[in-house]
Amino acid sequence: MTTLLIVLAGMALVVGPIAYLMPSRRDRELASLRMAARARGLEVELARLPKLNADAHERVSASGIAKQPVLECVEYGLPLPLALQGALSWRALVAPETEFPLTPGLPNLELDRGATPNVPLPPYFAALPEILAALPADTVALGVTRTGVVCYWHERLGGAADSAAGHRPAGAQASGEAILDALAQALRALLAHHAAWLKEAEF
């Protein structure tokens, strides 16, 4: 009996670290999702963005020191053509309620002033509700950087299949592939609007 316990303990010591190092189902899903995104021409990077609807304890520490709450998310983007890079950048943060909405027609979007100080509002912002409707429900922000058009989100599959604007029926689900297809299409639409405006504005 003692020998059996020693053998089992030895096996646990060997198998335990191996099991700990093995990727979880969530890790495997994300790796597959990101690989599929890159196959669609999307660039994927980790990102940190300001958290608009942070609780009081997230804004101030117990000792009274002000904090800057952030959201850990992932950036999915499409590169801009070289001729269009660097002309203008902006980022709009998504929140259920914002104190400073981007425009009256976009009550859940707030311009990230830390990323885009004094940016002029392009006229194509009127098309953002339609673009936002195609993005996952856990979208954190969308925008245009100096090098591409981007969507920031939490990569939550299943529940994330509902659009950010809530246009899908309650309980509707979509595969990771379908979510990526919709996201890529939305980014291409944003890229087309941005490129057309830059051409008209002669940046």
Side-chain angles (χ1 to χ4, degrees):
M1 185 67 178
T2 303
T3 304
L4 179 59
L5 290 175
I6 292 173
V7 171
L8 291 175
M11 290 178 62
L13 287 174
V14 173
V15 175
I18 296 175
Y20 179 77
L21 293 174
M22 289 180 65
S24 66
R25 179 181 176 183
R26 164 75 172 166
D27 292 334
R28 292 193 299 271
E29 286 180 344
L30 291 183
S32 177
L33 183 76
R34 293 170 185 177
M35 188 177 300
R38 293 186 176 100
R40 287 165 169 77
L42 298 173
E43 298 174 345
V44 184
E45 295 182 17
L46 299 179
R48 303 179 75 194
L49 299 182
K51 186 175 182 180
L52 293 182
N53 52 349
D55 296 329
H57 72 276
E58 295 176 292
R59 297 183 182 279
V60 182
S61 69
S63 57
I65 299 175
K67 299 191 295 184
Q68 294 182 333
V70 296
L71 287 171
E72 305 284 346
C73 56
V74 183
E75 172 187 317
Y76 281 65
L78 277 176
L80 286 167
L82 288 175
L84 300 180
Q85 291 185 7
L88 170 77
S89 66
W90 57 268
R91 185 164 65 205
L93 304 169
V94 180
E97 295 180 3
T98 64
E99 187 176 356
F100 306 103
L102 188 57
T103 71
L106 297 168
N108 62 331
L109 284 180
E110 182 176 322
L111 200 62
D112 183 358
R113 294 293 182 183
T116 51
N118 303 316
V119 65
L121 299 186
Y124 65 76
F125 274 11
L128 291 188
E130 182 178 353
I131 294 171
L132 189 65
L135 298 177
D138 56 339
T139 294
V140 178
L142 72 158
V144 176
T145 69
R146 296 290 178 179
T147 58
V149 293
V150 292
C151 168
Y152 305 84
W153 64 308
H154 288 304
E155 298 179 305
R156 295 183 188 131
L157 302 180
D162 296 331
S163 70
H167 287 190
R168 281 200 183 91
Q173 299 242 324
S175 66
E177 298 278 331
I179 293 172
L180 284 178
D181 287 339
L183 192 154
Q185 185 175 354
L187 288 179
R188 290 190 187 98
L190 179 58
L191 177 60
H193 283 295
H194 187 68
W197 176 67
L198 289 180
K199 186 176 180 180
E200 291 178 4
E202 297 182 350
F203 271 86

